[in-house]
Amino acid sequence: QVQLVESGGGLVQSGGSLRLSCAVSGGTLDNYAIGWFRQVPGKEREGVLCISSSGSSINYGDSVEGRFTISRDSAKNTAYLQMNSLKPEDTAVYYCTARASWCQPVPIYYHIWGQGTQVTVSS
């Protein structure tokens, strides 16, 4: 059974950087599209970035354009979300998720989720 484990969250000052990791176990990373979503209390989970099984990345959030990038390392079976120039409004629980091959912008299309990692950006 495929499982995802996120790590790398924490507290950072505005303007700082964090790199989130999503480690895949029980399956091969290259077979999946990996998405990053984020959620704050009282709001719906929103898409941030996704990378397809072929390596194409898609940005689902205008607010992260030019600041966040997604990548993956097949040898480590791990995907990453690099977050630069962080802002207080980026504060959320970040989830990685997987589905076969293609990216989709909404959570309902994904069937494998990690436990989430908290990112807090102080002003």
Side-chain angles (χ1 to χ4, degrees):
Q1 183 175 355
V2 176
Q3 293 184 322
L4 308 176
V5 178
E6 301 103 333
S7 61
L11 174 64
V12 64
Q13 288 188 335
S14 181
S17 297
L18 283 174
R19 188 178 77 160
L20 306 183
S21 300
C22 176
V24 179
S25 62
T28 302
L29 175 68
D30 289 349
N31 292 335
Y32 296 93
I34 300 295
W36 285 96
F37 286 75
R38 65 186 182 183
Q39 189 170 25
V40 298
K43 293 190 176 182
E44 292 185 352
R45 197 165 292 189
E46 66 171 357
V48 179
L49 282 162
C50 180
I51 186 165
S52 71
S53 60
S54 64
S56 299
S57 64
I58 300 173
N59 182 2
Y60 291 131
D62 291 342
S63 65
V64 306
E65 182 74 34
R67 300 188 297 122
F68 291 11
T69 56
I70 191 170
S71 63
R72 66 187 196 193
D73 186 332
S74 299
K76 295 183 178 179
N77 230 29
T78 300
Y80 303 96
L81 180 67
Q82 178 67 44
M83 306 185 295
N84 299 326
S85 301
L86 282 161
K87 303 175 181 180
E89 51 264 42
D90 295 318
T91 295
V93 177
Y94 284 72
Y95 298 89
C96 72
T97 182
R99 69 182 307 276
S101 299
W102 307 110
C103 292
Q104 292 286 351
V106 293
I108 193 173
Y109 291 106
Y110 294 84
H111 54 281
I112 307 168
W113 290 87
Q115 80 285 359
T117 185
Q118 177 70 47
V119 171
T120 303
V121 184
S122 63
S123 57

